[in-house]
């Protein structure tokens, strides 16, 4: 069974930075697209960023230019570097994986979800 374990969340002031990590285990990592989603209180889960097996990336408009997704296949780990954080970025951040590459607008293709890590940005 695949496990995705996020880490790196915490409390940061607006304008600060955090780096989230997601360690995968249980199957071949390199061929899967890896995602970051987030869910704020009272809101639906939303797409943040994704990276496919060929290291192609995609970002939500709200984080473009501030967040960077990357992966280290040797470590079975995907990262989300978050800079210039805003209070609106406050959410639980979830790691996810898909065998179908980068697909926007749906989560039906997601094979696995992590348990999430809380990011809180104070003003």
């Amino acid at each position: 069974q695949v496990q995705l374990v996020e880490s790196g969340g915490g409390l940061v002031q607006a304008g600060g930075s955090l780096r989230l990590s997601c360690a995968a285990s249980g199957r071949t990592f390199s061929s899967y697209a890896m995602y970051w989603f987030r869910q704020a209180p009272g809101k639906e889960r939303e797409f943040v960023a994704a990276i496919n097996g060929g290291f192609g990336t995609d970002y939500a408009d709200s984080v473009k230019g501030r967040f960077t997704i990357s992966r280290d296949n040797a470590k079975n780990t995907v990262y989300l570097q978050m800079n210039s954080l805003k209070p609106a970025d406050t959410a639980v951040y979830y790691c996810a994986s898909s065998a179908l590459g980068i697909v926007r607008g749906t989560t039906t293709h997601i094979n696995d979800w992590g348990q999430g890590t809380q990011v809180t940005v104070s003003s």
Side-chain angles (χ1 to χ4, degrees):
Q1 184 165 347
V2 174
Q3 283 192 321
L4 301 175
V5 180
E6 301 98 333
S7 62
L11 173 64
V12 64
Q13 288 188 331
S17 298
L18 282 175
R19 188 176 82 154
L20 305 183
S21 299
C22 172
S25 61
R27 59 154 154 74
T28 302
F29 173 79
S30 60
S31 62
Y32 278 67
M34 299 299 297
Y35 290 72
W36 288 99
F37 289 83
R38 67 187 181 187
Q39 187 166 18
K43 295 188 177 181
E44 293 187 353
R45 192 170 298 189
E46 65 175 1
F47 169 82
V48 175
I51 184 167
N52 63 21
F55 297 89
T57 59
D58 193 14
Y59 296 92
D61 288 344
S62 59
V63 307
K64 203 170 291 184
R66 300 188 298 123
F67 290 11
T68 302
I69 190 170
S70 61
R71 66 191 298 161
D72 185 337
N73 289 337
K75 295 182 179 180
N76 281 7
T77 301
V78 62
Y79 304 98
L80 186 69
Q81 177 67 44
M82 305 186 294
N83 298 329
S84 302
L85 282 161
K86 306 174 182 179
D89 296 317
T90 296
V92 177
Y93 283 71
Y94 297 91
C95 175
S97 67
S98 172
L100 297 181
I102 297 177
V103 179
R104 296 284 298 270
T106 178
T107 59
T108 58
H109 62 293
I110 296 297
N111 297 105
D112 309 287
W113 292 95
Q115 292 186 328
T117 184
Q118 176 71 47
V119 172
T120 303
V121 184
S122 63
S123 57

